[in-house]
C-alpha cells in the first residue's frame, strides 16, 4: 500500500495530501494540549468526537450559506477538506466573558457582554498567539481591509448559527475560535471557515447548571473530557442515548 504524504502535524490534527489535487485529509488525533502545549495528555476518543462534531457544524454552516473548507467525513477520524491557505489569525468571538478576556479586563467569567465581541490573535505558537489589532493586521499585511470585512461577517454568522444550535440543546455558547482559509478559484479568492469547530475551540456551558462541556474540563482538571464532549454530541443527536441497547446483538429467528 502506498504511504500517503504528511503535509503538517499540529497539536490536535495531522494533515495528509488528499486523493485529488486541492484536497487534504484532516486526521483528528486524541492528543490534548493546553497553555501552549505546556499541559499534554492523550484522551482516548477525543479525535473521533471532534471529527463528528466538526462535521456536524461545518455541514450546518454550509446549509445556511456560510462557506467552509469541509467536503466530507471519510471515517471515524478523518475528513476530506479543500486545501486552503490559512490566514495567520485566530478569530475569536465572545458572547460572555471568560478565559483571557476575564483575566485581561477583570470581568467575572460568565458575565454577558453587551454584544458579541470579536478579537484577533496572531497565529504563532512561539509567541503564544498574541492579541493584535486591525492596525497590526493591515500594517503587516496579514489580511486586507476587504478580507477583514469578510472575516468579521463570517465570524458573526458562525456565532449566530452556533449560538442558536447550542441554545436549542440547552448549552450557552460562551466564546469560540475559528480559522479562516483562502481558496483561489482562478483569479478570484474566497474566504472560508477552515480548520475545525469543536469543543476544543469553543467554550460551552450548560444553560441551567453552568457545567463546562469544553476543553476547559481538561485545562482546569474538571473531570472527564470525553464525557463532556460526548454529552455535547449526545444532545445534538450524534450519539445514541443508550449505547448499550444498540451494541447488544439481537437474535434473528
Ligand atoms: P481564550 O482567549 O479565552 O483563551 O480563548 C477564547 C476561545 O478561543 C476559547 O473558546 C478557546 O477554546 C479558543 N481558543 C483560543 N486559542 C485557541 C487555540 O490555540 N486553539 C484552540 N483549539 N482554541 C483556542
Amino acid at each position: 500500500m502506498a504511504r500517503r504524504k504528511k503535509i503538517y502535524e499540529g497539536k490536535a490534527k495531522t494533515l495528509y495530501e488528499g486523493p485529488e489535487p486541492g484536497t487534504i485529509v484532516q486526521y483528528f488525533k486524541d492528543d490534548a494540549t493546553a497553555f501552549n502545549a505546556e499541559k499534554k495528555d492523550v484522551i482516548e476518543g477525543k479525535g473521533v468526537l471532534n471529527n463528528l462534531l466538526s462535521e456536524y457544524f461545518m455541514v450546518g454552516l454550509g446549509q445556511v450559506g456560510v462557506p467552509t473548507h469541509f467536503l466530507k467525513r471519510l471515517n471515524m477520524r478523518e475528513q476530506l477538506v479543500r486545501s486552503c491557505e490559512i490566514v495567520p489569525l485566530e478569530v475569536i468571538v465572545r458572547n460572555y466573558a471568560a478565559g483571557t478576556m476575564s483575566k485581561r479586563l477583570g470581568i467575572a467569567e460568565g458575565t454577558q457582554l453587551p454584544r458579541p465581541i470579536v478579537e484577533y490573535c496572531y497565529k504563532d505558537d512561539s509567541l503564544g498567539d498574541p492579541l493584535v489589532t486591525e492596525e497590526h493586521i493591515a500594517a503587516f499585511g496579514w489580511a486586507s481591509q476587504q478580507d477583514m470585512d469578510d472575516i468579521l461577517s463570517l465570524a458573526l454568522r458562525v456565532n449566530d448559527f452556533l449560538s442558536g444550535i447550542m441554545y436549542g440543546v440547552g448549552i450557552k455558547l460562551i466564546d469560540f475560535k475559528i480559522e479562516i482559509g483562502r481558496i483561489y478559484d482562478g483569479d478570484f479568492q474566497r474566504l472560508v471557515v477552515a480548520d475545525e469547530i469543536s469543543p476544543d475551540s469553543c467554550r460551552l456551558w450548560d444553560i441551567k447548571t453552568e457545567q463546562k462541556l469544553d476543553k476547559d474540563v481538561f485545562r482546569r482538571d474538571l473531570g472527564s473530557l470525553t464525557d463532556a464532549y460526548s454529552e455535547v454530541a449526545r444532545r445534538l443527536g450524534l450519539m445514541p442515548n443508550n449505547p448499550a441497547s444498540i451494541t447488544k446483538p439481537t437474535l434473528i429467528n
Side-chain angles (χ1 to χ4, degrees):
M1 202 164 76
R3 201 189 168 96
R4 61 187 171 174
K5 189 171 165 201
K6 191 193 281 188
I7 298 174
Y8 174 79
E9 178 151 8
K11 286 175 280 191
K13 293 185 295 296
T14 305
L15 305 182
Y16 297 95
E17 213 167 67
E20 311 280 342
T23 64
I24 283 182
V25 174
Q26 194 165 256
Y27 176 97
F28 287 76
K29 303 196 286 186
D30 280 343
D31 300 16
T33 62
F35 313 118
N36 210 3
E38 272 171 38
K39 178 171 177 161
K40 286 186 206 169
D41 206 347
V42 175
I43 315 266
E44 211 183 315
K46 180 177 87 88
V48 172
L49 285 160
N50 281 351
N51 187 23
L52 271 180
L53 284 159
S54 198
E55 173 196 23
Y56 179 78
F57 297 130
M58 294 287 185
V59 167
L61 283 169
Q63 284 169 347
V64 297
V66 178
T68 79
H69 72 158
F70 182 84
L71 292 170
K72 65 174 176 180
R73 185 165 62 82
L74 297 171
N75 55 49
M76 291 306 278
R77 284 188 181 272
E78 294 177 327
Q79 48 185 244
L80 190 68
V81 300
R82 287 194 68 179
S83 160
C84 47
E85 184 185 293
I86 296 289
V87 175
L89 297 172
E90 294 193 334
V91 181
I92 294 173
V93 184
R94 301 181 186 270
N95 299 306
Y96 298 82
T100 57
M101 173 184 249
S102 287
K103 261 201 200 123
R104 216 181 312 115
L105 302 180
I107 306 174
E109 287 209 314
T111 307
Q112 187 163 17
L113 300 171
R115 62 186 176 88
I117 294 180
V118 182
E119 293 174 350
Y120 305 100
C121 293
Y122 179 53
K123 258 175 75 67
D124 186 325
D125 281 342
S126 67
L127 300 174
D129 300 334
L131 186 69
V132 291
T133 68
E134 290 196 46
E135 281 288 287
H136 297 104
I137 297 168
F140 296 120
W142 296 325
S144 68
Q145 189 52 55
Q146 178 64 55
D147 288 344
M148 291 313 292
D149 293 346
D150 293 348
I151 289 172
L152 179 64
S153 152
L154 279 175
L156 294 175
R157 289 168 77 194
V158 172
N159 187 43
D160 284 346
F161 171 79
L162 282 183
S163 298
I165 294 267
M166 289 303 176
Y167 185 76
V169 295
I171 293 174
K172 240 182 337 193
L173 177 65
I174 303 294
D175 58 29
F176 66 91
K177 182 263 306 184
I178 50 170
E179 297 194 13
I180 303 292
R182 298 177 201 281
I183 290 183
Y184 296 96
D185 282 327
D187 288 344
F188 295 96
Q189 167 208 275
R190 286 193 304 127
L191 293 180
V192 300
V193 178
D195 191 52
E196 70 177 282
I197 300 179
S198 74
D200 265 11
S201 49
C202 301
R203 282 198 175 91
L204 305 169
W205 293 7
D206 180 83
I207 286 179
K208 287 204 188 111
T209 64
E210 303 214 322
Q211 183 194 354
K212 293 178 175 55
L213 299 170
D214 56 61
K215 201 167 145 190
D216 276 348
V217 170
F218 170 71
R219 293 187 189 104
R220 302 178 188 188
D221 293 320
L222 300 176
S224 159
L225 194 73
T226 37
D227 284 358
Y229 288 21
S230 301
E231 175 62 14
V232 176
R234 191 193 61 75
R235 290 195 198 186
L236 292 169
L238 305 179
M239 281 176 86
N241 282 326
N242 180 6
S245 64
I246 62 153
T247 52
K248 230 177 180 171
T250 317
L251 189 64
I252 301 169
N253 293 313

